[in-house]
Structure formats: structure tokens, C-alpha cells
């Protein structure tokens, strides 16, 4: 049977892969090219690379590294981090990046979302939303690696990005990032009901049953990081991916 997309979401910094917990304490977990080769063998649906180093430093994307990734990757991959101009978007598409992921730039330069959609179609433009939940339960969209609060409600923000031309939302719950406690299903439900474009959820996956829970809440696709790079209670680094039979079983 066909199942929803299950997507490794890999964070990069200074050319290496890292993993965070609640957007903090980045831990080195390996080389992106090695990870791509492993995911090739696992026949993953697609991969998302987010360069938190470029995003945080407001540096341009590492085009040389992305060219190397493109030459190795058998699967479609998306890239986000440090994208601030339509010229960079054009260069990324030319390298073989299937989708560009806009986060801070989407908030600061909304026109860039529309320009990218005009260039390659909405299907090639993803707006990434990092959402924080207050202790009172209110949600707010943050940018700049979760350090700046836009004071925007996620569902309304997602609708605005869809209207600008985004073809997909990457919805990340900051408070669940790296915890492996499960997705924030209420957040998933709110945003999925607000838009007609696919919502890819991230932040919190730790077991395959979490994928089913998120799709039942409205998610179109599932992204995960820690679940695919750590193994065992001591968090040994091991790049892995569920077998298709396991995914088919959980989605039945």
C-alpha cells in the first residue's frame, strides 16, 4: 500500500550533521554525504536538509556541499538555511534541489515566497514554521532559529504563506524537537485544518506509531530527526530508517 511520506530531516552546521533538543545543545552526528548514501540504500521517500549554521549566521548556503549532496542523492531533497534572494533560489534549483525551504526569509521578505513559486511552481516552495507553545498553551511562530517571536498565530500564518504561493508547510514544534515524545497533535490539527496545501510535521517523533497519530490529526507527511540518527537509551549515533513493511503496518 502507499503510505504518507516519511522524511528524514537533517540539520547541518559547518558542513556536518548535528541534532538539537528544543533547538539547543547541537550535537555532532556525522557527515551529510555518508547519511545520504545510507538513505539511498534505505530507499527513503525524500530528505530535508536545514543548515542551521547558515541560518544563524545569516550566511549564504554552502553551494559546494549541496552540489556534492545532489551528486550522491538518489532521492528528492529539500534545502533551507541562509536563503535570502531569488538568485540563490535559482542556483539551488540548478544544483538539483527539488524544494527550497524558507523560514526567516518568508517572514522578512514575503515576496520571496511568491517569486520562488513563480520561478518553479508552488510545489517547489516550502515555508518552514517553527512554533513555540507557552505554558498557558498559546502558540506563536518564531524565526531566526526560534530566537525571535513573530507574535503570529500559526494557523493564520500558514494561511498567509499559502496565499503567497507556498506549496507546502514544514511545521516544527520547538518544544518537542529532539524529545521523541510524539508530535504536538493539537498544533498539527490546527494548522492542517487551516490550509489546503500539504503539512509536513516535525518535532517529537520517537516511534512509528507517532507517524500514524500525526496523520490522523491531519498531517500529510512526517519528518523526523533524532529517530533516524540515534539508537538505544544512550543515544548512540546510528543512521537508520524504518522498513517499508513496518510503515505499511502502522498506517493500515
Amino acid at each position: 500500500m502507499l503510505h504518507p511520506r516519511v522524511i528524514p530531516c537533517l540539520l547541518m552546521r559547518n558542513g556536518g550533521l548535528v541534532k538539537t533538543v528544543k533547538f539547543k545543545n547541537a550535537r555532532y552526528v556525522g557527515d551529510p554525504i555518508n547519511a545520504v548514501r545510507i538513505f539511498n540504500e534505505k530507499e527513503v521517500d525524500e530528505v530535508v536538509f536545514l543548515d542551521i549554521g547558515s541560518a544563524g549566521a545569516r550566511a549564504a548556503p554552502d553551494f559546494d556541499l549541496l552540489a556534492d549532496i545532489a551528486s550522491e542523492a538518489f532521492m528528492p531533497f529539500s534545502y533551507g538555511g541562509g536563503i535570502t534572494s531569488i538568485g540563490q533560489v535559482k542556483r539551488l534549483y540548478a544544483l538539483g534541489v527539488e524544494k527550497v525551504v524558507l523560514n526567516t526569509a518568508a517572514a522578512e521578505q514575503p515576496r520571496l515566497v511568491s517569486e520562488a513559486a513563480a520561478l518553479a511552481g508552488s510545489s517547489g516552495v516550502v515555508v518552514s514554521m517553527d512554533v513555540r507553545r507557552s505554558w498557558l498553551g498559546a502558540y506563536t511562530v518564531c524565526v531566526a532559529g526560534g530566537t525571535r517571536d513573530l507574535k503570529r498565530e500559526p494557523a493564520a500564518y500558514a494561511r498567509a504563506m499559502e496565499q503567497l504561493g507556498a506549496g507546502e508547510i514544514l511545521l516544527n514544534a520547538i518544544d518537542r524537537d529532539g524529545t521523541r515524545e510524539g508530535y504536538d497533535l493539537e498544533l498539527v490539527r490546527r494548522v492542517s485544518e487551516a490550509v489546503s496545501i500539504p503539512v509536513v510535521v516535525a518535532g517529537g517523533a520517537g516511534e512509528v506509531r507517532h507517524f500514524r497519530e500525526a496523520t490522523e490529526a491531519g498531517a500529510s507527511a512526517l519528518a523526523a530527526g533524532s529517530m533516524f540518527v540515534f539508537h538505544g537509551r544512550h543515544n548512540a549515533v546510528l543512521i537508520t530508517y524504518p522498513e517499508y513493511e513496518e510503515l505499511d503496518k502502522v498506517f493500515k
Side-chain angles (χ1 to χ4, degrees):
M1 64 174 289
L2 293 176
H3 58 71
R5 289 173 292 152
V6 176
I7 306 167
C9 186
L10 305 176
L11 306 180
M12 298 194 298
R13 176 181 284 172
N14 300 325
L17 294 181
V18 298
K19 188 65 197 80
T20 56
V21 177
K22 299 183 179 181
F23 281 33
K24 298 177 181 178
N25 304 318
R27 174 185 170 188
Y28 178 78
V29 295
D31 173 70
I33 301 298
N34 181 58
V36 165
R37 290 170 178 162
I38 294 171
F39 287 132
N40 282 338
E41 294 175 2
K42 299 290 186 180
E43 298 182 341
V44 305
D45 298 317
E46 61 184 88
V47 176
V48 176
F49 288 97
L50 302 177
D51 192 334
I52 62 174
S54 291
R58 300 223 170 205
D62 186 338
F63 293 106
D64 290 338
L65 175 58
L66 291 167
D68 290 341
I69 290 172
S71 70
E72 293 283 347
F74 295 161
M75 79 293 287
F77 76 96
S78 307
Y79 171 80
I83 303 171
T84 58
S85 72
I86 194 64
Q88 291 173 334
V89 171
K90 290 178 181 178
R91 189 172 176 185
L92 290 167
Y93 286 141
L95 284 175
V97 174
E98 184 187 53
K99 303 174 187 176
V100 294
V101 183
L102 304 175
N103 184 297
T104 304
E108 295 180 346
Q109 306 177 60
R111 189 174 69 177
L112 185 58
V113 177
S114 301
E115 290 176 343
L119 180 66
S122 291
S123 62
V125 183
V126 180
V127 169
S128 171
M129 292 172 46
D130 298 327
V131 178
R132 194 181 301 280
R133 188 173 191 173
S134 74
W135 65 276
L136 290 174
Y139 293 105
T140 186
V141 179
C142 299
V143 295
T147 62
R148 180 153 61 88
D149 185 354
L150 292 180
K151 303 190 185 302
R152 297 283 299 275
E153 192 276 325
Y157 188 78
R159 280 195 299 270
M161 292 298 132
E162 180 181 18
Q163 291 168 359
L164 286 168
E168 196 164 87
I169 299 293
L170 176 58
L171 179 64
N172 194 8
I174 296 173
D175 306 293
R176 300 293 182 104
D177 172 59
T179 66
R180 286 182 276 181
E181 296 173 351
Y183 297 104
D184 185 331
L185 300 179
E186 177 59 26
L187 175 62
V188 173
R189 191 172 295 109
R190 290 188 186 188
V191 174
S192 298
E193 290 176 352
V195 295
S196 59
I197 56 177
V199 175
V200 182
V201 297
E207 305 174 39
V208 291
R209 67 177 177 87
H210 292 150
F211 297 152
R212 184 183 67 249
E213 292 170 355
T215 56
E216 290 172 348
S220 301
L222 306 313
S226 294
M227 182 176 171
F228 298 147
V229 299
F230 293 135
H231 177 72
R233 61 192 183 95
H234 296 298
N235 286 340
V237 176
L238 177 67
I239 305 294
T240 187
Y241 187 80
E243 296 292 335
Y244 267 72
E245 292 77 11
E246 184 180 9
L247 293 174
D248 285 344
K249 184 177 179 180
V250 79
F251 287 122
K252 282 182 178 177

